[in-house]
Amino acid sequence: MEHKNCELCSNVGGELIASNDLLRVVRVHDEKYPAFCRVILNRHVTEMTHLSSDERYHLMDAVFIVERTMLDALNPRKINLASFGNMVSHLHWHVIPRFEDDPHFPNTIWGEQLRDSQRLVPAEFWGLLEKNISAQLSC
């Protein structure tokens, strides 16, 4: 079901990395957090409990594959996983690698900025993420 006023129903929500009938993985263009990704359910649902067990499994598996790829390729201090829905009530997960020298660490990325810094993401990361997530999405 699509909602005409929903940002994630009417837009991809970032640069598309991979998708299937259930979900899509996108890169969020944020210069302070260049490896920020979202895993977005394709249909308009607001809560995890609105999904079947199988859909929850596949959605979270995609989140975990993005997380594992970030851990292996980028070696962050921590990965933040978040699903709020207060501003955009369309089920999606934020997957954000965090580094001790990032602009907000240890605060959330939406909290007070503590420093100016910028981190580059190795170009091969995006190809690796696409490969890893596409393998899972084709199942």
Side-chain angles (χ1 to χ4, degrees), residues 16-30:
L16 186 64
I17 296 170
S19 68
N20 66 11
D21 290 341
L22 180 66
L23 61 91
R24 61 192 180 269
V25 176
V26 301
R27 174 183 180 183
V28 177
H29 288 281
D30 184 325

Side-chain angles (χ1 to χ4, degrees), residues 54-82:
D54 191 53
E55 289 172 322
R56 282 193 303 270
Y57 171 82
H58 287 291
L59 178 64
M60 293 312 298
D61 195 38
V63 170
F64 299 148
I65 288 170
V66 174
E67 177 188 50
R68 172 66 7 199
T69 303
M70 288 177 175
L71 286 168
D72 292 346
L74 304 176
N75 196 32
R77 171 75 167 81
K78 179 76 177 95
I79 299 287
N80 288 169
L81 300 177

Side-chain angles (χ1 to χ4, degrees), residues 30 33 36 80 94 96-98 102 104 107-112:
D30 184 325
Y33 297 93
F36 184 165
N80 288 169
H94 301 270
I96 311 160
R98 300 298 306 278
D102 78 34
H104 296 85
N107 296 338
T108 70
I109 69 165
W110 300 284
E112 179 185 359

